[in-house]
Structure formats: C-alpha cells, structure tokens
Amino acid sequence: MPSGQSPSNLVSAHEIACFAYCPEQWRLQYGLKIPPANQEQMQAGTRHHERKATVKRVAEPAIGLGRWIVAAGLIGILALLWLLLR
C-alpha cells in the first residue's frame, strides 16, 4: 500500500460522523461513491471558514496588545495615586 493511503477496511472519523448524522448520506457518499451535489455550497463554506480563521489570526495579537496597554495604564494610574497620596 502506498504511503499516505489507508486500507479500505478502515473507517475514518468523518465517515462515522457522516453515518451518525445521516445513514443515507453515508450510503450514497461512501457506499455508492456518489459525490455530494452541493459542492459549490461546501466550497463557499470552506472559504468562509478560511476568512474567519484569518481574521482570528490577525485579531489575537491586537487583543493581546490591548490587554498589555490596559494593564500598563492601570499600573500608571496606581503609581500616580500612590505618589499623590503619600
């Protein structure tokens, strides 16, 4: 068997999830090897999730920077109050 291929008697997690969701879908897709008719919608969903992942990757460092700025501001306010009240 070539590297990267699984034996035909193994069942993937996706196949199990597909069967649990709809046995008829599993029969058509895996048993009869009929591709899903909603390929365009599936590709649109993939693009949508890729965009969301990109936004998340960009936003996470900005949120972290914002937290550091807030923490520095609070420390600055506490230091100023300490100087004024001593």
Side-chain angles (χ1 to χ4, degrees):
M1 172 178 359
S3 177
Q5 291 185 345
S6 60
S8 61
N9 62 347
L10 289 182
V11 178
S12 70
H14 184 267
E15 283 186 65
I16 294 169
C18 180
F19 185 84
Y21 181 72
C22 180
E24 180 64 9
Q25 177 189 353
W26 181 90
R27 184 183 76 82
L28 294 171
Q29 187 172 350
Y30 294 100
L32 299 177
K33 308 283 188 232
I34 299 172
N38 63 341
Q39 290 293 323
E40 186 177 323
Q41 291 87 351
M42 290 172 61
Q43 291 168 356
T46 299
R47 288 189 303 272
H48 170 75
H49 286 281
E50 286 171 350
R51 285 191 300 268
K52 285 180 75 169
T54 300
V55 167
K56 185 178 180 200
R57 277 193 302 273
V58 170
E60 283 178 343
I63 291 170
L65 177 63
R67 288 181 177 147
W68 278 104
I69 291 171
V70 168
L74 289 174
I75 290 170
I77 290 171
L78 290 174
L80 183 60
L81 286 173
W82 181 77
L83 286 174
L84 292 173
L85 298 176
R86 51 175 208 145

